[in-house]
């Protein structure tokens, strides 16, 4: 009886230790919000740019939120959409949940952003805002602001979204990045990743997202050529454990605004 009690006690300690370890690792993983502003014309674009530059980003810094990226689509003949993408890193969900209330108490923010904040219903500064909430991959638990130094207009920030047919298949693709070594492969090839993350709330679920960065378009193309021919990728893509785990890939090629943190 005594040995049975001792055995049960040891088991409980081991379980508690495992849960504590998992929770500790979980707490190290950042959360990211991707806010996408859809705009109808350049006038709205100017209003949102001014608000982000003069009011929103400075307010985020006062709260302690650094490395906020602001991006726009690289112009192409087949793209005429006006969008602004804002990527915000959070150390915890609590930071995300309390952001709006903290901004509401910031008088400097309210004053600097008055034109945007107090816009009338018939003169809105944007058409819509969409929001995606993400949690960093275990293999890259924190954001790495890009150290690319080329002119901002030449830089390429590639934002990818990989959708999967089901939740289980989606998790398989996440595992392919983490356990399978896809994150490690990107790192070895110098893709300058900003983040890899699981989408925990968004309109394309189940999906994951990640962002890599390049000096220019030529560098971007060369890096992907190297990836496609890398022995590790050639082996990984035929691994029977990781087949048919992406049903759709959306690829956005972006450049950072002049006031983006990176």
């Amino acid at each position: 009886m005594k040995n049975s009690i001792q055995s049960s006690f040891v088991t409980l300690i081991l379980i508690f230790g495992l849960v504590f370890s998992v929770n500790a690792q979980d707490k190290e993983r950042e959360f990211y919000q991707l806010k996408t502003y859809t705009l109808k014309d350049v006038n709205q674009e100017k209003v949102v740019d001014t608000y982000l530059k003069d009011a929103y980003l400075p307010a985020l810094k006062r709260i302690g939120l650094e490395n906020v990226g602001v991006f726009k689509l690289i112009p192409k003949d087949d793209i005429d959409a006006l969008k602004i993408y804002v990527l915000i890193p959070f150390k915890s969900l609590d930071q995300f949940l309390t952001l709006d209330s903290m901004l509401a108490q910031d008088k400097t923010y309210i004053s600097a952003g008055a034109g945007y904040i107090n816009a009338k219903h018939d003169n809105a500064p944007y058409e819509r805002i969409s929001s995606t909430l993400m949690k960093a991959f275990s293999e890259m638990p924190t954001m790495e602001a890009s150290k690319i130094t080329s002119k901002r207009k030449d830089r390429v920030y590639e934002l990818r979204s990989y959708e999967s047919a089901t939740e289980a298949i989606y998790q398989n693709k996440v595992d392919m990045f983490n356990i399978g070594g896809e994150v490690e492969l990107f790192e070895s090839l110098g893709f300058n990743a900003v983040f890899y993350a699981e989408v925990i709330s968004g309109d394309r679920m189940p999906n994951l997202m990640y962002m890599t960065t390049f000096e220019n378009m030529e560098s971007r193309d060369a890096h992907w050529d190297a990836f496609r021919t890398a022995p590790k990728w050639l082996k990984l893509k035929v691994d029977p454990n990781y087949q048919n785990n992406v049903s759709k890939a959306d690829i956005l090629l972006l450049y950072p605004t002049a006031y983006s943190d990176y």
Side-chain angles (χ1 to χ4, degrees), residues 160-180:
R160 289 194 172 214
S161 169
Y162 289 169
E163 299 174 30
S164 300
T166 70
E167 290 94 327
I169 297 172
Y170 153 77
Q171 188 57 56
N172 178 264
K173 183 58 183 177
V174 173
D175 290 344
M176 188 175 180
F177 270 92
N178 290 318
I179 302 170

Side-chain angles (χ1 to χ4, degrees), residues 18-33:
L18 178 60
V19 170
F20 179 82
S21 175
V22 170
N23 286 342
Q25 293 174 3
D26 207 46
K27 288 180 180 178
E28 295 175 357
R29 294 165 61 187
E30 291 182 331
F31 293 87
Y32 310 123
Q33 182 188 25

Side-chain angles (χ1 to χ4, degrees), residues 8-53:
S8 297
F9 182 69
V10 170
T11 301
L12 285 173
I13 291 176
L14 291 173
I15 291 173
F16 177 79
L18 178 60
V19 170
F20 179 82
S21 175
V22 170
N23 286 342
Q25 293 174 3
D26 207 46
K27 288 180 180 178
E28 295 175 357
R29 294 165 61 187
E30 291 182 331
F31 293 87
Y32 310 123
Q33 182 188 25
L34 179 66
K35 296 178 69 174
T36 303
Y37 288 83
T38 299
L39 313 164
K40 68 178 180 181
D41 54 37
V42 294
N43 292 324
Q44 285 190 336
E45 183 180 21
K46 289 177 182 177
V47 172
V48 174
D49 272 330
T50 299
Y51 162 72
L52 294 173
K53 175 179 177 290

Side-chain angles (χ1 to χ4, degrees), residues 8 10 12 17 24 31 38 81 110 137 147 174 225 237-238 256 261:
S8 297
V10 170
L12 285 173
F31 293 87
T38 299
I110 293 171
F137 278 7
K147 296 179 175 62
V174 173
D225 286 342
K237 75 175 184 177
V238 297
D261 284 341

Side-chain angles (χ1 to χ4, degrees), residues 22-221:
V22 170
N23 286 342
Q25 293 174 3
D26 207 46
K27 288 180 180 178
E28 295 175 357
R29 294 165 61 187
E30 291 182 331
F31 293 87
Y32 310 123
Q33 182 188 25
L34 179 66
K35 296 178 69 174
T36 303
Y37 288 83
T38 299
L39 313 164
K40 68 178 180 181
D41 54 37
V42 294
N43 292 324
Q44 285 190 336
E45 183 180 21
K46 289 177 182 177
V47 172
V48 174
D49 272 330
T50 299
Y51 162 72
L52 294 173
K53 175 179 177 290
D54 297 339
Y56 193 65
L57 265 66
L60 295 185
K61 286 179 172 55
R62 288 192 291 273
I63 294 171
L65 296 174
E66 302 287 346
N67 295 327
V68 178
V70 185
F71 312 97
K72 296 182 181 181
L73 292 164
I74 292 176
K76 288 173 57 180
D77 291 340
D78 59 343
I79 293 180
D80 57 3
L82 279 177
K83 293 180 183 288
I84 298 177
Y85 301 84
V86 184
L87 180 63
I88 309 168
F90 298 91
K91 294 298 182 184
S92 67
L93 268 182
D94 186 61
Q95 273 192 323
F96 169 75
L97 294 172
T98 58
L99 176 57
D100 287 345
S101 62
M102 295 186 74
L103 289 176
Q105 301 172 45
D106 187 335
K107 294 181 179 179
T108 301
Y109 161 76
I110 293 171
S111 175
Y116 172 99
I117 296 169
N118 301 319
K120 302 299 182 183
H121 74 280
D122 56 354
N123 190 29
Y126 53 82
E127 293 295 277
R128 285 291 85 185
I129 301 174
S130 64
S131 175
T132 301
L133 184 63
M134 299 171 277
K135 187 174 186 177
F137 278 7
S138 59
E139 284 300 296
M140 189 174 176
T142 58
M143 175 181 286
E144 183 66 38
S146 178
K147 296 179 175 62
I148 295 296
T149 58
S150 58
K151 293 180 180 179
R152 292 191 175 222
K153 66 179 181 62
D154 295 329
R155 298 179 200 174
V156 179
Y157 286 54
E158 185 162 356
L159 180 65
R160 289 194 172 214
S161 169
Y162 289 169
E163 299 174 30
S164 300
T166 70
E167 290 94 327
I169 297 172
Y170 153 77
Q171 188 57 56
N172 178 264
K173 183 58 183 177
V174 173
D175 290 344
M176 188 175 180
F177 270 92
N178 290 318
I179 302 170
E182 203 167 345
V183 169
E184 183 181 17
L185 175 57
F186 277 116
E187 177 67 19
S188 70
L189 294 174
F191 269 69
N192 295 303
V194 174
F195 76 91
Y196 301 92
E198 304 174 35
V199 173
I200 57 178
S201 181
D203 62 354
R204 311 292 298 184
M205 298 177 71
N207 70 312
L208 62 86
M209 298 185 77
Y210 68 98
M211 176 181 278
T212 52
T213 64
F214 312 94
E215 295 280 355
N216 50 47
M217 195 64 73
E218 291 75 16
S219 174
R220 181 256 178 191
D221 293 344

